[in-house]
Amino acid sequence: MLRPDAAPTRIDTISDVTVWTGAAWRPHTDVLITDGVVTEVRDHVPGAAGPGVLDGVGGHLIPGFVNTHTHVQQSLCRGVGEGRPLLEWLLAVGEAMNAVTPERAYLAAVAAALEGLLSGTTTLVEHMWPHPDPEVHDAVLAALSDVGVRAVLGRGIADREDPTRRWGFDPRLIQPLDAALADTDRLAAGAGDRITLGLAVPNARSMTIEGMRTAAAFARDRDLTVMIHLSETGTDDAMCRANAGLSAIDYLAAGGLIGERLLAVHGVELDADARRALSAGGAAVSWNPVSNMRLGSGVAPVRELLADGVAVGLGVDGAGSNDRQDMLETLRAGAYVQRAHARRADLFDIGSMLAIACDGAARALGLPGASTPGGVSVGRLADLTLLRFDRDFACLPVSDPGATLLTCGTPRIVDTVLVGGDVVVADGRSARIDVEALTAALVALDPHGQP
């Protein structure tokens, strides 16, 4: 799937660009990069030229987005379960996951990761469902590496069986917990420098307390992220109370999962007690507004989470519940739904949204902290996106670049994307993937998973 001309181009200078500093736009700026890290942000010095120089004239530079939650294999599940409530939707998507092969997993992951990259996503957090076939995990790892995106790859684990998925997980996809954890170590050994491993728990209902304790100890020993769907609807709390006599958050606490490397996904139904517990433990929440709207789950209490001191990052979710991997769409929808819910237009401006979308969950994900959340600054990984508003006439004229980005931005304005200083998108196209070959392979697939 790699392009035959996919030799890496490394950038050491972005010249004469307008930079988002985290608080304002700074015109006529040079950004210097060494070993994949921003080392200087200075006033423009004329004269730089050569293969390592990216001409930024007329462009606007922002940090790359961190998509804090997705399921890349679901790019083959677009439209599946449309109009169904969460548990029915889960069962429909589960059938597709059972039908996955390594070949389908690779194509799905390339398609999803590339779609995200083309919308400015430089890091994605992949929440894999449990699966007993190591070749499926290898295929996803290879796909992410080929696309060139940075990733936290959550290896799926579960240890309670229930075909209804009310108090457990699909038995066909579960393997012994010790085998799944051993495979996590195997994957980590071959992941490369842009992909780190984590543990992905489907939800609190899918793990026993003993299993959570084992997973928590494993993750602590290796300094790994643990990601878990939590309180997406009221089902988690109701099932935990009915079967364990504990609220969902107390159930997680009993399993030792609440800590600084916990990424709780969705959190639509997190009440004040749950928010306080997450805040006290230093955990983060992945906010997935488009998915929550698509499934009718509700509106996450983002203002309350932030007020309670809980770190919040932005997530797209898998294409089975969002149908797109477009972070720019999610950026806008997230701001708008929070404003509508609060009946206030003065919330979630571009500065606050970029801080959430670029750095909100950095600690939980083990990513280097930015000196200025949401801004291009010294010490940040050179995971950067160069926007050109004139690539899309529907963004013109530009009276306020931040307002235009938030209210009008689409992948059409994404010109160049760097990951670790390497060009992975140039002129709005992948510098690594043969998109024509990818398209032909996707067209040839049976949408129902048959050979």
Side-chain angles (χ1 to χ4, degrees), residues 187-349:
L187 289 165
D193 59 357
R194 287 188 185 168
I195 302 174
T196 57
L197 268 290
L199 298 180
V201 181
N203 47 53
R205 310 185 309 273
S206 66
M207 295 287 288
T208 63
I209 287 178
E210 294 75 16
M212 285 191 289
R213 289 173 178 164
T214 297
F218 179 92
R220 279 195 304 273
D221 287 347
R222 293 156 177 79
D223 196 23
L224 303 182
T225 297
V226 178
M227 56 196 79
I228 182 169
H229 297 90
L230 178 65
S231 298
E232 184 173 359
T233 66
T235 300
D236 275 352
D237 219 50
M239 290 293 102
C240 286
R241 290 182 187 278
N243 291 279
L246 296 169
S247 68
I249 197 72
D250 288 341
Y251 189 72
L252 257 62
L257 285 187
I258 299 177
E260 291 186 354
R261 296 303 300 273
L262 178 69
L263 181 69
V265 181
H266 296 298
V268 172
E269 296 291 338
L270 291 173
D271 61 17
D273 288 341
R275 296 194 301 269
R276 283 193 290 268
L278 292 175
S279 177
V285 168
S286 172
W287 167 34
N288 293 252
V290 175
S291 172
N292 296 154
M293 288 189 283
R294 153 76 138 89
L295 293 175
S297 300
V299 179
V302 177
R303 293 175 65 206
E304 293 84 351
L305 285 162
L306 294 171
D308 288 338
V310 181
V312 176
L314 193 64
V316 167
D317 211 346
S321 62
N322 182 334
D323 305 291
R324 300 290 301 277
Q325 293 294 288
D326 183 349
M327 274 288 279
L328 286 164
E329 176 185 67
T330 301
L331 191 81
R332 176 168 55 256
Y336 286 6
V337 73
Q338 289 293 325
R339 293 177 185 182
H341 191 62
R343 298 177 183 248
R344 288 179 55 183
D346 60 340
L347 303 173
F348 295 94
D349 62 4

Side-chain angles (χ1 to χ4, degrees), residues 9-16 30 44 47-56:
T9 298
R10 174 148 288 198
I11 299 299
D12 54 44
T13 304
I14 304 172
S15 175
D16 200 9
D30 293 341
H44 173 55
V53 177
L54 176 62
D55 183 359

Side-chain angles (χ1 to χ4, degrees), residues 33-93:
I33 299 168
T34 304
D35 296 329
V37 175
V38 175
T39 52
E40 188 175 356
V41 180
R42 69 185 187 194
D43 291 340
H44 173 55
V45 177
V53 177
L54 176 62
D55 183 359
V57 173
H60 291 75
L61 190 71
I62 62 172
F65 297 130
V66 177
N67 175 8
T68 58
H69 183 64
T70 190
H71 304 277
V72 292
Q73 293 177 63
Q74 288 182 16
S75 68
L76 305 186
C77 301
R78 300 178 198 270
V80 170
E82 161 58 14
R84 300 187 196 179
L86 179 64
L87 283 178
E88 290 183 25
W89 174 87
L90 281 170
L91 293 173
V93 172

Side-chain angles (χ1 to χ4, degrees), residues 91-109:
L91 293 173
V93 172
E95 292 308 308
M97 294 301 98
N98 270 290
V100 74
T101 63
E103 295 75 20
R104 291 176 70 90
Y106 176 83
L107 285 175

Side-chain angles (χ1 to χ4, degrees), residues 179-195:
L181 296 177
D183 195 54
T184 304
D185 279 338
R186 180 188 68 83
L187 289 165
D193 59 357
R194 287 188 185 168
I195 302 174

Side-chain angles (χ1 to χ4, degrees), residues 139-157:
V140 171
L141 190 63
L144 298 175
S145 178
D146 284 354
V147 171
V149 71
R150 195 178 303 279
V152 179
L153 175 60
R155 208 290 188 186
I157 59 170

